[in-house]
Amino acid sequence: MTLPPHFTLLQVTPRLDAGGVERTTLDVAKAVIAAGGRAVVVSEGGRLEGELLAMGAELVRLPVASKNPLTLLANARALKAMIAERQVSLVHARSRAPAFSALAAARATNTPSVATYAGVYNSTTPWKRWYNGVMARADLVIANSDFTRAHVLAMHRTDPAKVIAIPRGVDLAAFDPAAVSADRVEALRHAWGIGERDTRPVILLAGRLTRWKGQALAVQAARRLNARGVSDFILVLAGDDQGRDAYRMELETAIAGAALGDCVRIVGHCADMPAAYLAADVAIAPSLRPEAFGRTAVEPQAMGRPVIAADHGAARETVLPGETGWLVPPGDPQAWTDAIEAALAAGPHAWTRMGQEGIAQVRGRYSVDAMTRATLEAYAALLASRASAAR
C-alpha cells in the first residue's frame, strides 16, 4: 500500500492498555510506518506504550479520556496546535470523549477526519444518542463489523456512502499455534494452578472483569454443571478487573459459595493470549450485550480452539455454528449450561476439527494485514476525495 508523500497520521485514543481499540491503534500505526508514513498517537498511555514506541511511533500524552468540558476544550486547542506543528495529514478518533476534541481540531485546521465506531453504545436518551453520534460526524466512519455498520446507519441516519465496515484484524504472526512454544503454554497452566498431570478440559473466558462480559453467567453455568454431576473441567476467567473490586469480590463469593474453588479460577490479566488459548481446550464469549466485533470469539479460532459465543452482535458473523463453535442465547443460564456440557461431551476429536475450521476462517477473513490494508486504502481514498473537491 502506497501512502501520499510525507503522510502523517494522528490517532487519538483514551488509553493504551489491553483491548481491541488499543490493539488496533498499534496495528494501524505499524502499518503506516511500514508504508513510509509517520504515526503519532495521542493518549494517556498504558501498558502498550512501550510497544508503540519500539515500532517507531510517537506518543503524546494528553488527558483525552476525560469527559470534562473544560478538558475537552483544552485538548482541542492542544490538538489543533499539534496538527499544524506536525503537518498532520489525517486525524483518526477511536473513542467518543477524545473524538469531540479531535474532530473539532480537524475541522478547525481543515484536516480530513476518520472515526472508528467500535462499540454498540447505550443510546437510551436523546442526550446519549447525541453524545454517541460524535463518532458519526467524521468525514469517514469505519465500523468494525457489518453489525456495527448497520447500527450506525440505524441510530444516526448517516450517509451510507461515508460508513464502511472493516473487521478488526488478528495478528496471524502472534496468533499462530506453530509459533507458541510448549514452555509458554506450560508456564501459563502453572500460573493458573493447573498441574502437569491434570487432564481436565480447560474452558477459557478471556476479557476484562466487567459484568456485561458474562463472567457471572459462566460461574452460574459451572455451578449448574456441578449440580448435574459434571465437574471434570476447569473454568479460567482471565482478565483485568480494572478497579472493579466489588464485581471481582462478587465472583469470588459465588465461586466459594458453590464450592467451585477447584474448578473455577480467576487469574487476572494475561499478557500472553496466544499461549492462553493453546492452554485451553474451548473458549467461551458469553457477553450479555452484543459485541461490535469481539476479539475473544475470533482470536481463539486463530489458535485452533472452538468457541461458544452469545448469539447476538458480530459473533453471528465470526462464529460458524457447528463448524467453528456454538452460538447460545445470551444471558440464559440454562442454555449456557447445556452448551458447555455439549461442548465438553463433543471431546478432543470434534475440538480439533472445529479448531482447524476456525484457523482457516480467521486466516481468510480476519487478518491484521487485511484490516490495515483496507484502513490505509480508506485513508488514501478520503485524501484523494478531499483533494479532488478542493480543485
Side-chain angles (χ1 to χ4, degrees):
M1 176 63 200
T2 302
L3 291 170
H6 312 297
F7 177 83
T8 297
L9 172 67
L10 174 63
Q11 297 184 87
V12 188
T13 192
R15 283 173 288 272
L16 290 173
D17 293 316
V21 170
E22 296 89 334
R23 187 72 260 165
T24 305
T25 300
L26 267 67
D27 290 336
V28 170
K30 183 177 181 179
V32 165
I33 293 168
R38 182 183 181 193
V40 181
V41 174
V42 176
S43 174
E44 294 188 359
R47 59 167 59 97
L48 294 176
E49 63 185 68
E51 183 179 345
L52 178 76
L53 296 172
M55 70 176 62
E58 178 185 358
L59 171 64
V60 179
R61 296 180 188 277
L62 280 179
V64 289
S66 174
K67 298 178 183 177
N68 183 297
L70 295 178
T71 304
L72 295 179
L73 288 172
N75 287 341
R77 288 193 294 270
L79 290 169
K80 180 180 174 182
M82 198 180 306
I83 289 168
E85 178 185 340
R86 289 167 173 76
Q87 297 182 314
V88 169
S89 309
L90 186 146
V91 174
H92 192 152
R94 293 194 171 274
S95 187
R96 289 167 293 175
F100 282 96
S101 303
L103 299 185
R107 284 192 294 271
T109 56
N110 196 33
T111 304
S113 63
V114 175
T116 291
Y117 209 105
V120 181
Y121 312 119
N122 182 350
S123 300
T124 53
T125 66
W127 181 88
K128 195 69 172 179
R129 283 193 293 274
W130 174 85
Y131 178 77
N132 296 341
V134 67
M135 302 302 287
R137 295 173 205 143
D139 297 323
L140 176 69
V141 180
I142 297 176
N144 62 356
S145 66
D146 290 334
F147 168 75
T148 306
R149 182 177 185 273
H151 173 81
V152 173
L153 296 178
M155 293 302 300
H156 305 297
R157 299 180 180 178
T158 307
D159 177 3
K162 76 173 221 176
V163 185
I164 62 173
I166 301 177
R168 191 172 283 166
V170 174
D171 183 348
L172 297 182
F175 286 88
D176 176 2
V180 179
S181 68
D183 288 345
R184 285 168 57 186
V185 176
E186 189 55 41
L188 266 183
R189 288 176 63 91
H190 177 75
W192 295 347
I194 302 174
E196 291 183 15
R197 297 183 180 180
D198 194 333
T199 60
R200 287 177 291 174
V202 176
I203 303 164
L204 175 64
L205 195 171
R208 63 189 180 277
L209 294 190
T210 184
R211 190 173 303 279
W212 76 271
K213 288 292 186 181
Q215 289 93 355
L217 175 63
V219 173
Q220 190 174 1
R223 178 180 61 78
R224 288 171 175 246
L225 285 169
N226 265 3
R228 294 181 184 180
V230 180
S231 58
D232 191 30
F233 65 89
I234 298 174
L235 171 63
V236 174
L237 308 180
D240 196 338
D241 63 22
Q242 297 179 329
R244 298 181 184 88
D245 298 332
Y247 181 55
R248 182 187 180 105
M249 188 175 300
E250 177 186 325
L251 293 172
E252 291 172 344
T253 300
I255 292 166
L260 295 173
D262 184 51
C263 66
V264 181
R265 319 281 169 84
I266 300 176
V267 299
H269 172 72
C270 178
D272 191 352
M273 288 311 303
Y277 289 122
L278 281 191
D281 297 287
V282 177
I284 62 173
S287 302
L288 304 183
R289 302 202 308 258
E291 293 275 9
F293 177 72
R295 287 183 310 132
T296 56
V298 178
E299 288 177 352
Q301 293 182 65
M303 298 305 294
R305 295 298 182 258
V307 180
I308 312 173
D311 188 12
H312 55 183
R316 292 176 173 173
E317 302 168 36
T318 60
V319 178
L320 306 179
E323 297 181 42
T324 68
W326 299 263
L327 291 176
V328 185
D332 185 335
Q334 181 70 34
W336 274 88
T337 305
D338 292 343
I340 294 173
E341 184 174 14
L344 291 171
H349 180 74
W351 301 338
T352 299
R353 174 183 60 79
M354 294 176 124
Q356 291 304 309
E357 293 284 349
I359 290 172
Q361 183 195 206
V362 172
R363 289 181 178 175
R365 299 182 60 190
Y366 299 115
S367 71
V368 162
D369 286 346
M371 181 272 290
T372 55
R373 183 170 58 252
T375 302
L376 267 57
E377 287 173 353
Y379 290 166
L382 176 58
L383 292 173
S385 175
R386 287 286 294 265
S388 176
R391 287 198 291 269

